[in-house]
Amino acid sequence: MSGFPGFPSGFVFGAATASYQIEGAAREDGRGPSIWDTYSHTPGLVVNGDTGDVACDHYHRYPEDVALLRELGVDSYRFSIAWPRIVPEGDGRVNPKGLDFYSRLVDELLEAGIEPAATLYHWDLPQALETPSNSGSAAGGGWRVRETAERFAEYTAVVAEHLGDRVPRWITLNEPWCSAFLGYSIGRHAPGAKEGTPALAAVHHLLVGHGLAVQALRSAGVREVGITLNLDRNLPATDSAADLAAVVRADTQHNLVWTEPILAGRYAATEEETFGELITAADFRRDGDLELISQPLDFLGINYYRPIVVADAPLRETDPGKRVATDNRYQEVPMPDVRKTAMGWAVAPDTFTDLLVALKQQYGDALPPIHITENGSAEHDTVSEDGAVHDTDRVDYLRDHLTALRAAIDAGVDVQGYYVWSLLDNFEWAFGYDKRFGIVRVDYDTQVRTPKDSYHWYRSLIAARHG
Ligand code: FCB
């Protein structure tokens, strides 16, 4: 570790994962199907036809994974809870074996001296809430309907009652932008819908679900409550008026539809110019919703990977007669002259500092302390003859982003934690197992875990901080 700048005392270093991406055991111990089981089992939707059926088999191997975390020396581990393990039919009937699994995981973490940070929704909605089963009483409709937000609050209350005394840090939703727009507008995530107004209804119901979950977590008396957003740094491709206007639309969809209601208790002023009649004709908002959505938070989680270069684009039609609400009159263009990760994502750490500083300028004292709940990179890893993975690009990526984070702290942004994405190589959604984000390699044939150079580097960084 070469001369890495120090972080404030009490700063939390962690690593993150998510249930569907690592657990496997998709049909074990009473787990119900989720929309990601359905999506990944639909031919043609995920690269190589990969599914999360087995993934990293973390459901059975969690003690080994906690041992890797302990050896890494992290202060905290961010994992997510699979709603369909807890409420398999989405209808309120609780599966005790699902609760048991997370209870064992949490105990294992605490015994290792690692603080658990639990995400309640990392995209694996019980399938019965999307399409009702014959036996269940769930209504279906997914996040298009308000009932799903209410079911989410009930599930949250159950989990908080069982784990609230042992899990100090709670995240209601992970990246609701992906749930709403990738899920219901462009169909690149489960449930794979391509719809206009329903995607905006999903935005609102996710926000309402967040608000109701905050209430449930507060009633359970947990220590810290927050939400994780994937806020984007959108840069104009040129300084033409058309591209600048496209940036406003991208900012609205990616950032403001979330931060304005949550942090400022108002809807984004630019929503009409962004969504047009899709939003003006909307009837899913109710009086009192903004108060619910804007309850005070203990922290804001931010996932950050890369900047987006935005250019103007014509309005696209997908299905006949249905306008999409996303990729709506803007398009992403490649950022020139910077390295790209295996995802093709631009590596531009300065934009990380800029995003955080701009957010602080925008919201001032209304901005809660920040935890970076994900940051990391997929690289073209290879196993060397010595069996090691010398992932120099990932080490550079992490070092440069931590340096950029430190610059934001120096500029007055209150950032209290950082979780690397990810502890393990895992099921990268529509990219399947093709993209590797782990600091630990997973051989999917044998389930052997091999810490990469980035793991050793991160370990030294944390150890140096502890003196
Ligand atoms: C984020 C997701 C996470 C992972 C990373 C690479 O959008 O929250 O599950 O897929 O991207």
Side-chain angles (χ1 to χ4, degrees), residues 32-35 38 84 87-91 93 125-142 148 151:
S34 80
I35 55 172
T38 308
V87 191
E89 290 295 326
D91 57 0
R93 283 176 295 170
L125 184 75
Q127 181 64 43
L129 289 177
E130 179 64 29
T131 43
S133 69
N134 295 333
S135 58
S137 57
T148 296
R151 297 293 86 76

Side-chain angles (χ1 to χ4, degrees), residues 313-324:
L315 181 64
R316 283 183 233 168
E317 307 269 343
T318 47
D319 300 336
K322 264 185 195 163
R323 285 182 166 188
V324 289

Side-chain angles (χ1 to χ4, degrees), residues 18 21 78 122-123 174-175 178 189 230 303 305 343 345 374 421 426-429 437:
Q21 297 182 274
R78 174 181 178 233
H122 202 125
W123 309 347
N174 178 70
E175 300 194 358
C178 296
H189 275 188
N230 52 322
N303 294 350
Y305 290 92
M343 296 293 283
W345 292 354
E374 288 178 27
W421 182 270
N426 59 46
F427 176 81
E428 179 47 34
W429 309 112
F437 272 90

Side-chain angles (χ1 to χ4, degrees), residues 269-280:
T270 47
E271 62 178 21
E272 199 173 324
E273 68 184 88
T274 302
F275 302 117
E277 77 267 20
L278 294 178
I279 196 77
T280 46

Side-chain angles (χ1 to χ4, degrees), residues 48-86:
N48 297 325
D50 290 339
T51 73
D53 287 1
V54 177
C56 308
D57 194 31
H58 170 80
Y59 190 77
H60 299 113
R61 292 167 197 263
Y62 72 90
E64 181 183 348
D65 295 335
V66 173
L68 282 164
L69 288 162
R70 184 208 288 256
E71 179 61 23
L72 182 58
V74 284
D75 306 300
S76 178
Y77 171 56
R78 174 181 178 233
F79 61 97
S80 81
I81 294 172
W83 185 352
R85 281 198 199 284
I86 311 298

